[in-house]
Amino acid sequence: MKTLMAKRIGPNDDYKIGDKEYKRKWFVVDAAGVPLGRLASQVAMVLKGKKKPEYTPNVDVGDYVIVINSDKVALTGTKAEKKLNTYYTGYIGGLKQQKYSLFLKENSDKAVAKAVKGMLPKNSLGRQMIKKLKVYKTAEHNHEAQKPEPLEIQYNSNKR
């Protein structure tokens, strides 16, 4: 595990992450009934560590996140029928598209991970951050030993 700490650069400068011990927390998020975009944006903020005082854009200071009940995540409006999951198989003429309602039904864990990954940096730092995301279709997960704290997703439930 990489260890980090904040150290002062100069008398009038900000803090910079150094190389001493840094503890990461574990959070668990219940995705039941939460809109996919709201879930993804708030989980991405925790993975980046943007709410922490030691946040630095070029260092991964974020925490681990466990998302449970990804089968029950919601899409607002007509996105379930109009939005498409597009992927390429690697063969000639292998462009495939499927409605997001079918994609959510079959691979809800991959849909949540894809939404969160789209909100992280597109570089090696983002690839490092997405490894701290664990997504499960049901309410059961095997991370009780890490003692995850519950994380509430804030959204306006009246707009549906």
Side-chain angles (χ1 to χ4, degrees):
M1 181 171 100
K2 216 176 210 183
T3 55
L4 306 167
M5 79 164 247
K7 64 181 176 183
R8 202 152 180 84
I9 299 171
N12 298 326
D13 294 332
D14 290 334
Y15 287 92
K16 180 183 174 191
I17 297 298
D19 289 334
K20 240 181 177 183
E21 188 161 337
Y22 179 76
K23 290 284 269 188
R24 295 185 193 274
K25 290 184 180 178
W26 284 73
F27 293 101
V28 63
V29 176
D30 189 5
V34 179
L36 180 61
R38 299 286 175 142
L39 174 75
S41 63
Q42 292 184 25
V43 167
M45 294 248 310
V46 174
L47 289 173
K48 285 183 192 178
K50 285 198 91 164
K51 300 272 183 174
K52 294 184 171 188
E54 59 267 5
Y55 171 70
T56 309
N58 62 334
V59 179
D60 182 13
V61 295
D63 297 318
Y64 288 88
V65 178
I66 304 163
V67 178
I68 57 173
N69 290 329
S70 68
D71 277 343
K72 299 175 186 170
V73 73
L75 285 176
T76 57
T78 58
K79 289 187 205 100
E81 295 304 317
K82 289 186 178 178
K83 187 173 179 171
L84 296 173
N85 176 39
T86 305
Y87 61 97
Y88 186 70
T89 63
Y91 289 97
I92 297 172
L95 183 67
K96 301 287 183 181
Q97 293 180 331
Q98 67 181 141
K99 290 185 179 178
Y100 230 73
S101 59
L102 182 62
F103 182 52
L104 273 177
K105 193 180 296 181
E106 294 174 354
N107 302 311
S108 62
D109 52 343
K110 290 181 183 177
V112 170
K114 183 178 178 181
V116 173
K117 185 177 180 180
M119 297 189 183
L120 292 174
K122 286 23 171 215
N123 53 24
S124 59
L125 192 60
R127 291 188 292 274
Q128 183 180 344
M129 289 176 186
I130 196 68
K131 290 177 184 175
K132 296 183 298 185
L133 176 68
K134 315 294 181 193
V135 184
Y136 296 96
K137 291 186 175 188
T138 61
E140 299 173 6
H141 62 86
N142 57 356
H143 299 284
E144 288 85 18
Q146 283 76 24
K147 299 179 185 125
E149 302 171 15
L151 179 69
E152 290 297 320
I153 300 298
Q154 298 169 352
Y155 68 98
N156 189 356
S157 61
N158 298 336
K159 286 194 169 185
R160 288 190 209 176

